[in-house]
Amino acid sequence: MAKPKKPAPPKTPPVATDAPMRTLDDIDASRGPARVKALRDKFAKALDDPDMREAMARYLQTLIREEK
């Protein structure tokens, strides 16, 4: 004997928000280049440390292995 199906819950209407829609023009991209430069500097300093180089190489190898 087949079980009767449960009725689907009633759909709720979308909630209206008071926040206006944002567009791509609203995003402040001026900080991007500075953050990229800071990350490059930090990465370059980390490469000067031999222990950090080994740790980074191991980490990248595990990432490559997980991709397959």
Side-chain angles (χ1 to χ4, degrees):
M1 188 181 250
K3 292 183 180 180
K5 291 185 178 180
K6 292 182 182 180
K11 293 186 178 181
T12 57
V15 178
T17 59
D18 294 333
M21 294 280 295
R22 291 181 63 185
T23 63
L24 291 176
D25 295 330
D26 297 333
I27 297 173
D28 179 24
S30 62
R31 291 179 27 205
R35 293 185 75 186
V36 169
K37 183 181 183 302
L39 285 172
R40 282 184 180 155
D41 292 343
K42 191 173 184 180
F43 189 73
K45 288 179 187 175
L47 285 178
D48 291 338
D49 181 19
D51 294 332
M52 182 58 72
R53 276 196 305 256
E54 289 177 25
M56 291 167 82
R58 283 192 304 270
Y59 177 69
L60 291 173
Q61 288 172 352
T62 58
L63 286 178
I64 290 169
R65 286 187 198 119
E66 289 176 2
E67 283 292 316
K68 294 180 181 179

